Amino acid sequence: MKYYDDGNKTIVEGYDSFHIQEILECGQCFRFEKISNDAYDIMAHRKKITVTQQQDHIVFESVTKQEFETIWMHYFDFDTDYRQVKATLWEKDLVIRDAIEYAPGIRILNQDPWECLLSFIISQNNRIPRIKQIIQNISEKYGDNGTCFPTPMQMAGLCEEELKLCKTGFRAAYMIDAAQKVSTSALDLNGLNALETTEARKQLMTVKGIGPKVSDCILLFAFGRREVFPTDVWVKRVMEHFYFHGNETSIEHIHELAYKKFGEQAGIAQQYLFHYARCNAIL
DNA sequence: GCCCAGGCACTCA
DNA sequence: TGAGTGCCTGGG
């Protein structure tokens, strides 16, 4: 892969395993808008960029080469060789092969931990369009420039009623608790990087509204813990369907099988499977 | 009008 | 320790 400046944009050529639609619409992030089939606006790391994918190159608009190197390269996980990851998973079984073939351009993003944490608190009992709407409401109302996601400090200064104006419902209390813990360093988000995954998960779960599933999403999508296997109803459904003869199975058993089968790449496998399950009516 | 959605907290055995 | 239930809200 090579990349170069072209005025106010950066062009990437010779890329592999990158499909902007699959990446954004596989349920891992919520701050994007579709402009056309191959172009999206993306809000992340307090910036708004436009990504347009052509057959042989990708255009990152409003991105300098330096920004690409310091922010977006990592955000889009270009440090990971997905060809290698897929080759490894491919050997595991036919199910994961189908899932990979269905969306071979999926990548796991490296998102901002704070925004990711809040996003997945909001995600409980919610569908994706509504999650997106709520996050946008919050950003417009309480974030800088009416576009940035509020900082922990900004959010800690709000009351439940103010958040409920953004349609957060019962999650407002959870969000305030998260903001208070993070802004006072009772929960040190940066510090989680140094911890073992199980310990980091335990720390995340000290926040109200963060249980096993939400913490695993945060660990996978913001802390690069590719071995975790967030198991929501969709993943549960696809795992039961393909690996347990359609029988009701506990999350523990599903995790056991996932770790045994996919090992260090379980999180990436999960994302292929999740997307596959959601897009296939057979489940 | 009713039911449910990509969980979690809380309560009560 | 595990099962049962309520939760905001909007769309099918």
Side-chain angles (χ1 to χ4, degrees):
Chain A
M1 179 181 106
K2 72 171 187 181
Y3 55 92
Y4 54 90
D5 261 325
D6 183 12
N8 192 29
K9 48 191 161 184
T10 296
I11 315 281
V12 174
E13 291 178 354
Y15 63 87
D16 171 68
S17 306
F18 185 106
H19 190 288
I20 191 63
Q21 185 178 2
E22 290 170 8
I23 292 169
L24 296 175
E25 303 205 8
C26 70
Q28 61 178 321
C29 66
F30 307 100
R31 297 215 67 198
F32 60 87
E33 260 171 72
K34 187 173 185 163
I35 302 171
S36 69
N37 269 345
D38 47 15
Y40 284 83
D41 282 340
I42 300 167
M43 280 289 309
H45 294 290
R46 306 183 70 76
K47 291 183 190 302
K48 181 178 181 176
I49 66 168
T50 304
V51 176
T52 308
Q53 180 165 17
Q54 314 282 359
Q55 206 149 46
D56 57 347
H57 67 279
I58 312 164
V59 182
F60 291 80
E61 272 173 69
S62 314
V63 176
T64 65
K65 188 176 173 187
Q66 196 196 354
E67 283 170 345
F68 182 75
E69 285 171 344
T70 54
I71 302 173
W72 304 104
M73 206 140 134
H74 182 57
Y75 181 76
F76 285 103
D77 207 25
F78 280 118
D79 335 292
T80 300
D81 181 354
Y82 277 79
R83 208 179 300 205
Q84 181 61 50
V85 171
K86 286 188 285 188
T88 306
L89 291 175
W90 191 264
E91 297 306 317
K92 305 302 181 187
D93 62 46
L94 296 174
V95 176
I96 190 72
R97 281 188 192 187
D98 282 344
I100 290 172
E101 274 194 326
Y102 185 76
I106 286 181
R107 286 173 168 266
I108 307 281
L109 299 171
N110 292 295
Q111 301 181 55
D112 171 69
W114 164 243
E115 184 173 334
C116 187
L117 184 153
L118 255 289
S119 299
F120 282 95
I121 286 179
I122 295 167
S123 76
Q124 57 178 284
N125 284 53
N126 254 332
R127 305 153 197 256
I128 291 172
R130 243 176 76 74
I131 300 167
K132 289 176 70 174
Q133 186 61 56
I134 292 170
I135 294 172
Q136 193 181 328
N137 291 345
I138 293 167
S139 303
E140 281 175 3
K141 221 168 169 55
Y142 303 117
D144 293 335
N145 309 320
T147 52
C148 292
F149 192 76
T151 62
M153 199 67 93
Q154 286 172 326
M155 194 168 291
L158 301 173
C159 63
E160 275 187 44
E161 277 58 42
E162 288 173 300
L163 283 174
K164 283 181 179 170
L165 292 175
C166 303
K167 312 287 185 190
T168 56
F170 64 91
R171 306 161 195 84
Y174 304 159
M175 296 163 71
I176 302 261
D177 184 55
Q180 285 171 349
K181 287 205 166 80
V182 173
S183 64
T184 59
S185 294
L187 173 63
D188 175 13
L189 284 183
N190 289 328
L192 295 188
N193 283 305
L195 301 180
E196 294 284 333
T197 296
T198 48
E199 182 54 34
R201 180 185 290 116
K202 209 180 288 179
Q203 295 271 324
L204 286 168
M205 285 173 55
T206 61
V207 175
K208 283 201 179 75
I210 299 186
K213 191 270 176 181
V214 170
S215 62
D216 279 357
C217 285
I218 301 165
L219 288 167
L220 178 59
F221 301 133
F223 288 95
R225 305 301 169 104
R226 302 297 189 235
E227 76 278 20
V228 304
F229 196 81
T231 307
D232 58 23
V233 296
W234 288 96
V235 174
K236 191 164 183 291
R237 223 172 273 166
V238 72
M239 292 298 284
E240 286 168 349
H241 180 83
F242 286 118
Y243 295 107
F244 296 93
H245 309 290
N247 295 324
E248 176 93 31
T249 310
S250 71
I251 303 272
E252 288 71 30
H253 279 105
I254 290 171
H255 278 177
E256 207 174 304
L257 180 109
Y259 296 136
K260 205 164 127 191
K261 189 177 268 294
F262 306 122
E264 291 300 299
Q265 317 291 3
I268 304 181
Q270 179 270 0
Q271 206 56 28
Y272 291 122
L273 291 167
F274 172 70
H275 187 63
Y276 184 61
R278 276 213 319 149
C279 300
N280 279 279
I282 52 164
L283 296 176

